[in-house]
């Protein structure tokens, strides 16, 4: 258990001294996962809304598949994107393998099912009466969705938080697609995994603590934003 | 992404985890300005990355796979550049009493005791077809066993973890088992381990590191020029200097011995370590 | 404005609307009454284009409203609806009311002005900043009304608009409805369970029963000339008595009611078993000598029950059968009536309605159809 | 059963209840009326122990109900409440109604039996298997009522129980309330906006205004002897006129109303500017010669407005000031009244109420307090 | 991209031939993750209900921390449990390291924040009126929670599905605590990770497909159960 205590001390030291390498990978982690979350929000909120609103044959199946993809292992998602982006793959010419952009893509794909599924769930929590009211007040379909999203804003926010959490904490996809290249694609989780594999447990834990502090920061910002907006 | 020259290198984890490559990266980048992008992966995956042209250079310590890679014409040049020895680690009490045996003898004895159900004798294998695992397989074969039929699945004594060196060391440590490990990872983990080296520096335990420049003819956009330059630098006096001195500060003893032309061509190394033309 | 024909609606095999025909003119106030579960809400939802009928034709504001969603949207924008159980959004009162205007991309200043005057209209002035979910029941109802009014619709659907409202607020809302229809030509369809509310403000009343209009006409017509026995019961004919038709001539029927002869005006020929119905307020009550005056139907009986209803009193008079009469409290005091008093009850032939007595029809009520 | 004293409730600085005193006996039916936002719902919630008062003492069923949660729970189990906007669970009708019984761990057979009879009681027999959320508004209301009744509470709180109900169902519900109180001794508190509903079934009525009871007494007392001007307005005194007090002697006041002398019974001494109030139905209307009979207050005027109200008619008579009178439609026909008719209006001195005319008091209404 | 096609073929082959080793690790994966999900449900539903119901100072902070733990990296969770369960750690005597039981613990800890947080979210979706109604019908606090949970059952189910998804798809904790020991603690994700590190991408993908099929099965069972219950 010493490692845990040491981890805390180490974490404080790293933060206080603003260790440049740690700072760099922390910022990279944050930026990549935030972009991935924003991208997946940009896709999953409209997509989820559509799936919630429209009735079509096989809708239940689609939602079932989305929920199944909650279980998509990060390694598989990573592998999939890797095969697409690899030099030998169809998008190799984009040269996105081992770049932060490639990692953003991988994380976006990874969390898309979660954010979409939870968007649908959040919307379903709002009763049919709300939609009827909006329609009868003259809302276009688009406006009514916006308003329903507004009513479900807390649930949607927490869906995105969860997506962000999954993105920033995952390692499989980042490792395969990013390659954990120092100074380029190393992020907190791949660094943790590296330090763990070389037995540097207290540093791993320190990095884990920093990661959680980062997540706490994102959480707080969102909460403040919510209050401010209110 | 690639404005200044960038060289993508795939390496096996056991090499990367020693920290050698970070030192090399610093020195080389300072000297040439070439950006080294090093990704450390399990041996098999590193080879796969190389095969797909996702990297320009492969650093590896798995002779049979190196040969296969070259004969498939995926590699352009194959150079060995350093070696050290694997260690057979075990509990300090050495329950199998193999301290004074050769590696082959020790393996045979472990097999015998393990198969016979001695509860104190266990062997942890990485089981991940890494360089270290290949070396282990080679020793089992040398000891006269058919690896897949006689060793794998021959009982609960033979524990396959299927993961990296460090994690496998943890397992062996928790299970008080014997394990074959590379020197670098052992030294990194030494403080956390009860296990001690039981057998070291046996010929059979040789661990040879090679660099392979990827064949640019197979895939578009691989950078063989910088790869060649890097390999030549590694084989140069400057490179050897770093290899020789690395590990002195951190581990108390050097981790690698550079290979010299003239020695490397013969047994047990049997490889090329001349500069690439 | 609205032409609906043969509108039907079926939910999982249960028919809720069963061929509704309706035609409503611009500026008309139309009131729908009917027992619970008759299909009032279902009809309003279909007319507001929230649901599609299972069957039937629908023209609204001159356009075919059974077609594409875009046409329906265009029409829907010119209407609005107050729901029976309005949804209040969890925002401020202002944002709730402004909702429809924002959907129409109206300028901020105009929104503010309109919201303000809508809130004034429903008697909630100055409440803009309050959290809507914290209002009282009646306040919420008025908020929802303001939200529907503020967009100045050409057609307004109100599902029980005065629920939860105190009498004064209910009057304000009723006055607003009348004013909208008169000044702005707004067409208004509303439902209510208070027939007198319908009578007071509606141009016509439709009695919806079992998914179909049993009668559509002016209030007085419905109150005094119900189309059938069920409507009569529904609009409060307290006296519904079994009788037998003895003869019929030139619109006047001679009936036998437990041995007493009575005369009733009856448009249709009558015959055999019938029901004769009249309102309690059509019964004149007197004491003492048999009245000589006009009503040919006179019954002598004893007062067996007295029950108050505001300034009025219902008294039950037993004269072989039971008759319920309604008097002002003052009249009762003047007649010095009490339980056991001997009285005369008289009903004009023109106040009596006669309906064919199809077996157990009298028992059939709205709620028993399930 | 219920002893509340000085109950107050404040929401974020806004006082909603302001010292309510109430004492209710076993088996009593007590009706709370009052304008929207007066605090009726707030009071019922406090009495059902869902909210705690900000201040005040509360004894229910003989126990102190301001104490620990466990005591409050024990008391709460002996009561139930119908909410103003009832929540319907998204299950079957049966499960909705059975809810409270299941909480009490009642055996399955008994649950089934009780649910069945509760549903029958509210007029929804046989609907057990229907999905509750698909019921119509009135059906849901009755479902919620059944849910509250089925647990056979000792005290029943009903917040506007007859909302959404058609007249017949409303009667059924009212009858049920009376029967429960009579046969089972259930104490019932309910709110309504229909004063006559209160009059019909309640033993006492309390008029809640601005968070305080302005008057608590029997229905007739409230309808005819309101405690103050606001209650008078609220209970529908249509005639509220400014007058000046000329003299007062032995409970009878002589007033000056726009130059006409009128007599009114007034308990308290009167003086200076006052309001004189009387109900429209207290006004007798006659034509022709000045009536010689008793009422000392007689006014001659012209009919300026006639408006129907079911079987009744309100007519406005202008005689310097406006008087509203109520007649049966029949009476109006007999008098052959029409717009412009010259009539006599007379009001007994005993029907007149006099209230001190504190400046603008007459304008003050419940909704304007915000 | 060949690997993906080959992966599908391989998956079909493995399934059709009922490959005993694959079958074994599949069953192990399923059992471990199901137990972890059930355990975390057993903790997080009461815990979430309590957190939702009770008002106490710092409640917002507690919920914030729970949401922050959405970002707990699996490796860190694994490391933490490893340090507790290791021979040198305080619970070493239990000998749970490198056993399926240990993996269950690790996965339970890992998904607990998610299931708890989403339970709170699901309950918050049910309005205050529902609770008042239940109380006035005589529900004890416990009964009212049960009933509210009943009203929120869909949201809770989807929270548990998400938790299960995270459990069955995670690899970091299973790897560290379980050890990926062949025949003992190897599960689908650790096998995938092994095959990937060997460079056996098509087998990885085949195992990934099997994992997703498993998740689909769980999803379907839950859906059927829901319908049947209804
Ligand atoms: N939770 C709350 N927070 C703040 N204000 C509230 C809250 N609940 C009620 N109020 C306010 O308290 C006042 C009384 O509300 P209450 O619901 O008791 O009125 P009511 O007499 O039942 O009215 P109605 O006839 O409209 O149902 C209202 O002005 C209302 O806006
Ligand atoms: N979505 C639905 N699914 C199934 N049945 C429904 C649905 N909506 C309404 N019904 C049924 O249709 C019938 C008519 O309902 P509707 O709401 O139109 O009645 P209503 O006339 O408005 O009654 P109320 O006076 O009680 O409001 C009722 O029996 C109701 O149970
Ligand atoms: Mg309705
Ligand atoms: Mg209320």
């Amino acid at each position: 258990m010493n490692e845990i205590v040491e981890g805390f001390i180490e974490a404080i030291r790293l933060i206080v001294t603003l260790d440049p390498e740690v700072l760099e990978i922390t910022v990279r982690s944050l930026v990549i996962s935030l972009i991935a979350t924003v991208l997946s929000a940009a896709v999953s909120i409209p997509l989820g809304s559509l799936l919630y609103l429209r009735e079509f044959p096989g809708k239940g199946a689609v939602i079932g598949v989305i929920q199944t993809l909650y279980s998509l292992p990060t390694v598989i998602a990573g592998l999939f994107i890797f095969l697409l982006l690899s030099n030998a793959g169809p998008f190799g010419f984009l040269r996105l393998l081992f770049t932060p952009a490639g990692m953003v893509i991988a994380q976006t794909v990874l969390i898309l099912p979660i954010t979409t599924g939870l968007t649908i769930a959040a919307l379903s929590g709002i009763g049919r009466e709300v939609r009827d009211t909006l329609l009868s007040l003259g809302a276009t379909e688009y406006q009514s969705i916006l308003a329903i999203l507004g009513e479900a804003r807390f649930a949607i926010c927490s869906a995105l938080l969860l997506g962000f959490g999954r993105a920033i904490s995952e390692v499989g996809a980042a490792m395969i697609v990013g390659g954990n290249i120092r100074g380029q694609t190393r992020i907190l989780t791949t660094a943790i995994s590296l330090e763990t594999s070389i037995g540097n447990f207290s540093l791993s834990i320190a990095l884990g603590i920093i990661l959680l502090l980062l997540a706490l920061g994102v959480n707080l910002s969102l909460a403040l934003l919510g209050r401010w907006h209110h | 992404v690639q404005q200044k020259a960038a060289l993508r290198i795939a390496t096996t984890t056991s090499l990367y985890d020693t920290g050698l490559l970070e030192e090399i990266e610093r020195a080389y980048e300072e000297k040439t300005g070439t950006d080294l992008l090093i990704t450390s992966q399990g041996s098999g995956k590193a080879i796969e990355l190389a095969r797909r042209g996702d990297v320009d250079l492969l650093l590896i310590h798995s002779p049979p796979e190196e040969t296969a890679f070259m004969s498939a014409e995926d590699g352009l040049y194959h150079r060995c550049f350093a070696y050290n020895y694997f260690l057979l680690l075990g509990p300090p009490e050495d329950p199998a009493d193999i301290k004074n045996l050769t590696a082959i003898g020790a393996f045979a004895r472990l097999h015998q005791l393990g198969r016979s159900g001695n509860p104190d004798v266990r062997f942890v294998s990485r089981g991940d077809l890494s360089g270290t695992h290949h070396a282990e397989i080679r020793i089992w074969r040398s000891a006269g066993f058919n690896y897949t039929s006689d060793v794998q699945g021959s009982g609960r004594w033979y524990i396959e973890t299927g993961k990296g060196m460090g994690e496998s060391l943890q397992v062996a440590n928790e299970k008080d088992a014997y394990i074959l490990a590379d020197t670098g990872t052992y030294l990194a983990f030494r403080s956390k381990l009860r296990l001690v080296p039981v057998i070291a520096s046996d010929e059979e335990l040789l661990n040879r590191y090679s660099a392979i420049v990827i064949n640019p003819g197979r895939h578009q956009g691989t950078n063989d020029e910088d790869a060649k330059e890097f390999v030549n630098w590694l084989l140069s006096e400057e490179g050897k200097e770093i290899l020789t001195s690395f590990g002195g500060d951190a581990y108390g003893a050097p981790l690698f011995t550079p290979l010299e032309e003239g020695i490397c061509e013969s047994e047990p190394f049997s490889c090329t370590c001349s500069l690439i033309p | 404005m609205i032409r609906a024909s043969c509108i039907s609606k079926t939910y999982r095999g249960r028919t809720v609307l069963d061929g509704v025909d309706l035609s409503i003119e611009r500026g008309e106030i139309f009131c729908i009454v009917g027992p619970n579960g008759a299909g009032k809400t279902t009809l309003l939802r279909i007319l507001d284009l929230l649901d599609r009928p299972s069957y039937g034709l629908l023209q609204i504001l001159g356009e075919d409203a059974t077609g594409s969603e875009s046409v329906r949207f265009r029409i829907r924008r010119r209407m609005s609806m107050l729901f029976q159980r309005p949804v209040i959004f969890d925002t401020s009162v202002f944002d709730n009311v402004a909702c429809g205007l924002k959907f129409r991309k109206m300028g901020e200043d105009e929104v503010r002005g309109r919201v303000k005057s809508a809130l004034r209209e429903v008697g909630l002035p100055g409440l803009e900043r309050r959290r809507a979910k914290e209002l009282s029941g009646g306040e919420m109802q008025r908020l929802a009304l303001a939200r529907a009014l503020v967009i100045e619709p050409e057609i307004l659907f109100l599902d029980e608009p005065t629920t939860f409202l105190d009498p004064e607020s209910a009057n304000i809302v009723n006055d607003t409805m009348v004013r909208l229809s008169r000044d702005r030509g707004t067409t208004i369809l509303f439902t209510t369970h208070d027939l007198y509310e319908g009578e007071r403000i509606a141009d016509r009343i439709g009695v919806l029963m079992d998914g179909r209009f049993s009668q559509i006409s002016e209030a007085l017509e419905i109150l005094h000339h119900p189309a059938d026995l069920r409507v009569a019961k529904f609009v409060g004919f307290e006296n519904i008595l079994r009788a037998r038709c003895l003869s019929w001539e030139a619109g006047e029927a001679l009936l036998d009611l437990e041995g007493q002869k009575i005369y009733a005006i009856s448009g249709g020929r009558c015959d055999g078993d019938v029901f004769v119905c009249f309102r309690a307020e059509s019964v004149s009550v007197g004491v003492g000598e048999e009245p000589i005056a006009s009503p040919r139907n006179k019954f002598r009986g004893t007062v067996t029950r007295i029950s108050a209803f505001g300034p009025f009193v219902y008294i039950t008079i037993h004269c072989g059968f039971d008759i319920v009469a309604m008097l002002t409290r003052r009249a009762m005091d003047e007649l010095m009536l009490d339980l056991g008093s001997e009285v005369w009850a008289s009903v004009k032939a023109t106040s009596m309605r006669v309906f064919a007595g199809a077996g157990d029809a009298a028992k059939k009520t709205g709620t028993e159809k399930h």
Side-chain angles (χ1 to χ4, degrees), chain A, chain B, chain C:
Chain A
M1 300 307 293
N2 275 343
E3 287 87 348
I4 295 179
V5 177
E6 280 165 23
F8 269 92
I9 296 171
E10 179 71 12
I12 292 169
R13 196 188 62 74
L14 290 174
I15 293 169
V16 169
T17 61
L18 274 178
D19 182 288
E21 186 160 359
V22 170
L23 189 67
E24 179 208 314
I25 63 175
T26 304
V27 171
R28 187 178 296 123
S29 266
L30 181 66
V31 170
I32 289 178
S33 298
L34 274 186
I35 296 180
T37 309
V38 169
L39 284 185
S40 89
V43 176
S44 65
I45 291 180
L47 183 66
S49 308
L50 262 181
L51 284 176
Y52 159 72
L53 268 192
R54 291 282 158 80
E55 296 302 328
F56 53 90
K59 173 169 169 166
V62 170
I63 293 178
V65 166
I66 289 176
Q67 288 186 330
T68 299
L69 288 177
Y70 292 174
S71 306
L72 184 67
T74 60
V75 176
I76 295 294
L79 207 51
F80 191 76
I81 300 297
F82 167 80
L83 292 173
L84 289 176
L85 297 185
S86 138
N87 218 344
F91 297 103
F93 66 93
L94 293 175
R95 307 236 137 237
L96 288 174
L97 196 67
F98 302 145
T99 64
M103 297 165 81
V104 166
I105 295 174
Q107 292 194 346
T108 306
V109 168
L110 182 71
I111 67 177
L112 213 45
I114 293 183
T115 49
T116 307
L118 290 184
T119 299
I120 297 175
L123 293 178
S124 312
I126 304 290
R128 166 131 207 124
E129 314 86 71
V130 172
R131 217 181 123 202
D132 285 343
T133 304
L134 292 167
L135 287 185
S136 97
L137 288 173
T140 59
E141 193 163 23
Y142 175 70
Q143 288 170 330
S144 79
I145 291 251
L146 279 191
I148 296 175
L149 287 172
E151 286 279 299
R153 58 189 176 273
F154 290 112
I156 302 254
C157 270
S158 88
L160 292 183
L161 265 181
L162 200 76
F164 172 78
R166 180 120 169 100
I168 202 161
S169 69
E170 77 85 29
V171 57
M175 193 62 117
I176 294 180
V177 176
N180 189 26
I181 297 172
R182 190 160 73 106
Q184 305 250 338
T185 57
R186 182 162 298 170
I187 58 174
L188 281 169
T189 50
T190 57
I192 288 172
S193 152
L194 175 65
E195 297 301 333
T196 308
S197 80
I198 63 178
N200 216 341
F201 294 163
S202 51
L203 185 52
S204 289
I205 289 180
L207 293 175
I209 291 168
I210 291 176
L211 192 150
L212 286 179
L213 287 178
L214 202 63
L216 186 64
V218 169
N219 249 297
L220 283 183
S221 324
L222 207 71
L224 287 182
L225 212 75
R227 191 162 311 162
W228 174 76
H229 194 72
H230 207 68
Chain B
V1 186
Q2 299 183 333
Q3 314 100 332
K4 62 176 176 177
L7 178 63
R8 297 172 300 169
I9 303 174
T11 169
T12 63
T13 45
S14 54
L15 186 56
Y16 191 87
D17 291 353
T18 59
L20 170 70
L21 291 176
E22 282 185 28
E23 190 144 332
I24 284 178
E25 186 183 357
R26 254 189 299 277
Y28 190 74
E29 282 182 353
E30 194 171 310
K31 174 156 187 284
T32 64
T34 305
D35 199 3
L36 294 191
L37 306 180
I38 306 171
T39 181
S40 109
Q41 310 276 359
S43 306
K45 188 156 145 224
I47 291 169
E48 193 58 33
L49 284 176
R51 210 193 302 282
R52 305 175 62 91
D54 289 322
V55 291
D56 312 312
L57 186 70
L58 176 64
L59 300 180
I60 186 171
H61 66 145
S62 188
E65 290 185 286
E66 290 159 30
T67 315
F69 192 82
M70 291 308 293
S71 53
E73 288 178 12
D74 286 321
L76 196 54
Y77 304 105
H78 181 202
R79 293 292 182 273
C80 49
F81 61 93
Y83 71 94
N84 59 17
Y85 290 94
F86 292 112
L87 305 168
L88 182 60
L89 306 177
E93 310 81 41
D94 190 16
D97 194 20
I98 53 174
K99 209 171 294 172
N100 301 314
L101 301 181
T102 63
I104 289 178
F107 270 52
R109 187 170 173 83
L110 286 173
H111 185 264
Q112 182 215 334
L113 292 174
R115 285 291 306 262
S116 71
N118 184 330
D120 293 333
V121 174
R122 280 173 295 270
F123 188 93
V124 166
S125 165
R126 281 182 62 176
D128 62 349
L129 297 181
S130 58
T132 313
H133 187 211
H134 275 297
E136 185 203 324
I137 294 172
R138 197 188 67 231
I139 300 171
W140 287 117
R141 294 221 170 101
S142 305
F145 298 104
N146 178 331
Y147 180 65
T148 42
S149 62
D150 297 345
V151 181
Q152 265 187 319
S154 68
R156 289 180 75 92
W157 72 280
Y158 189 76
I159 300 165
E160 289 180 76
T161 62
K163 51 186 192 173
M165 194 68 251
E167 287 131 329
S168 298
L169 277 177
Q170 296 281 345
V171 175
N173 192 54
E174 294 288 335
K175 297 221 171 239
D176 273 330
Y178 291 90
I179 183 171
L180 188 69
D182 69 283
T183 319
T185 313
Y186 165 66
L187 289 177
F189 268 85
R190 188 168 43 181
S191 66
K192 296 191 173 53
L193 298 180
R194 222 173 76 77
L195 303 181
V196 294
V198 181
I199 299 176
S201 67
D202 185 308
E203 282 280 284
E204 281 291 335
L205 297 183
L206 181 73
N207 184 14
R208 183 197 80 187
Y209 291 92
S210 301
I212 297 177
V213 176
I214 309 308
N215 182 356
R218 298 300 291 267
H219 296 287
Q220 278 216 319
T222 56
N223 179 0
D224 59 318
E225 283 306 317
D226 286 304
K228 269 191 266 184
E229 198 181 323
F230 175 77
V231 173
N232 281 345
W233 176 83
L234 200 57
L235 296 172
S236 72
E237 287 311 311
E238 202 179 339
K240 286 177 182 162
E241 170 67 32
I242 290 180
L243 283 169
T244 315
S245 58
F246 179 77
D249 309 338
Y251 305 119
L255 281 184
F256 300 94
T257 313
L259 274 167
E260 300 289 347
E261 250 184 296
I263 300 170
C264 64
E265 291 82 357
S266 49
E267 281 284 324
F269 303 110
S270 322
C271 57
T272 315
C273 53
S274 57
L275 293 185
I276 299 171
Chain C
M1 292 306 259
I2 300 181
R3 303 260 168 287
S5 53
C6 214
I7 300 283
S8 301
K9 180 81 189 178
T10 314
Y11 286 115
R12 279 193 246 117
R14 202 145 29 80
T15 300
V16 171
L17 289 183
D18 187 14
V20 168
D21 294 310
L22 191 62
S23 158
I24 301 205
E25 299 311 318
R26 178 159 189 281
E28 180 169 1
I29 303 186
F30 188 90
C31 171
I32 304 175
V33 297
N36 291 140
K40 302 181 290 299
T41 300
T42 307
L43 179 59
L44 287 192
R45 286 177 57 90
I46 289 175
L47 294 180
D48 194 34
L49 307 186
L50 295 171
D51 288 336
R52 282 179 187 266
S54 311
Y55 183 80
L57 297 176
L58 186 54
Q59 253 209 346
I60 296 184
L61 290 162
E63 298 198 75
D64 174 22
T66 51
S68 75
E69 265 313 314
S70 68
V71 175
R72 284 165 64 91
F73 169 71
R74 204 171 54 220
I75 304 174
R76 201 189 292 123
R77 273 248 164 139
R78 298 165 67 186
M79 318 192 287
S80 73
M81 173 152 172
L82 172 75
F83 290 83
Q84 189 166 12
R85 301 173 135 236
V87 171
I88 303 296
F89 301 125
D90 193 3
T91 53
S92 68
V93 169
F94 180 89
D95 286 346
N96 263 277
V97 178
C99 199
L101 300 179
K102 284 186 183 154
F103 290 152
R104 287 165 178 77
K105 307 215 183 305
M106 196 167 281
E108 262 200 39
D109 285 346
E110 188 170 1
V111 170
R112 232 189 326 267
R114 283 228 214 165
V115 169
K116 195 168 172 181
S117 73
L119 285 176
R120 205 175 326 107
E121 195 126 50
V122 299
L124 295 177
L127 257 64
E128 279 93 339
R129 323 266 326 241
R130 284 274 293 277
R131 206 180 137 199
K133 289 251 171 174
E134 288 174 355
L135 296 179
S136 80
E139 290 162 344
M140 280 193 202
Q141 180 75 10
R142 287 188 264 164
L143 165 62
L145 187 67
R147 193 170 60 184
L149 291 183
V150 78
I151 58 183
E152 302 189 351
E154 293 169 56
I155 305 180
L156 188 57
F157 300 102
L158 305 171
D159 205 352
E160 309 199 13
T162 51
T163 335
F164 297 137
L165 298 193
D166 62 40
E168 187 175 337
S169 308
N171 280 335
I172 294 178
V173 167
N174 283 338
D175 292 348
T176 304
M177 288 161 68
V178 171
R179 189 150 31 78
L180 284 179
S181 125
R182 197 184 50 208
D183 299 351
R184 251 193 241 148
T186 311
T187 308
I188 300 180
L189 265 85
F190 75 104
T191 66
T192 184
H193 288 301
D194 180 356
L195 257 174
Y196 299 161
E197 183 182 8
E199 182 197 7
R200 220 157 41 242
I201 61 173
D203 297 313
R204 284 187 301 159
I205 297 183
V207 183
L208 195 66
M209 289 189 150
D210 280 349
R212 206 183 303 208
F213 278 115
S214 293
Q215 187 169 7
I216 299 184
S217 42
E218 286 177 11
L220 280 185
E221 181 74 13
I222 286 186
L223 284 175
H224 296 286
H225 297 93
D228 59 35
L229 190 61
R230 290 192 55 205
V231 175
K233 274 201 89 166
F234 184 79
V235 301
F237 272 60
E238 292 86 352
N239 298 288
I240 298 183
L241 303 165
R242 259 170 206 281
R244 216 159 48 75
C245 198
L246 297 178
S247 69
W248 182 82
E249 209 172 309
E252 193 178 282
L254 176 62
L255 310 171
D256 173 277
L257 179 61
E258 311 266 332
Q260 296 220 26
K261 294 232 167 357
I262 55 174
Y263 296 89
I265 299 303
S266 168
R269 196 168 198 106
C270 89
D271 146 56
D273 284 342
V274 295
F275 287 97
V276 57
C277 314
F278 47 94
R279 303 191 75 97
E281 66 261 23
S282 311
V283 182
S284 303
V285 179
V287 287
E289 290 301 298
E290 175 173 350
I292 331 142
S294 63
R296 277 182 290 171
N297 303 312
K298 298 174 202 130
F299 317 100
R300 187 164 187 86
T302 355
V303 175
T304 56
R305 204 178 153 212
I306 300 180
S307 64
F309 179 74
F312 309 103
V313 182
Y314 284 98
I315 64 174
T316 308
I317 303 164
H318 187 74
C319 35
F321 39 90
D322 277 351
I323 290 181
V324 179
M326 183 198 225
L327 304 156
T328 60
R329 198 176 287 277
R330 204 174 48 208
M332 193 179 80
D333 290 348
E334 279 164 10
L335 294 171
M336 292 183 295
L337 294 186
D338 216 334
L339 286 183
S341 301
E342 294 274 318
V343 295
W344 282 99
S346 55
V347 188
K348 286 192 206 160
T350 49
S351 302
M352 298 254 191
R353 302 282 159 261
V354 180
F355 300 108
D360 54 359
K363 284 205 217 105
K364 214 174 149 206
T365 72
T367 55
E368 281 169 5
K369 72 176 190 213
H370 304 288

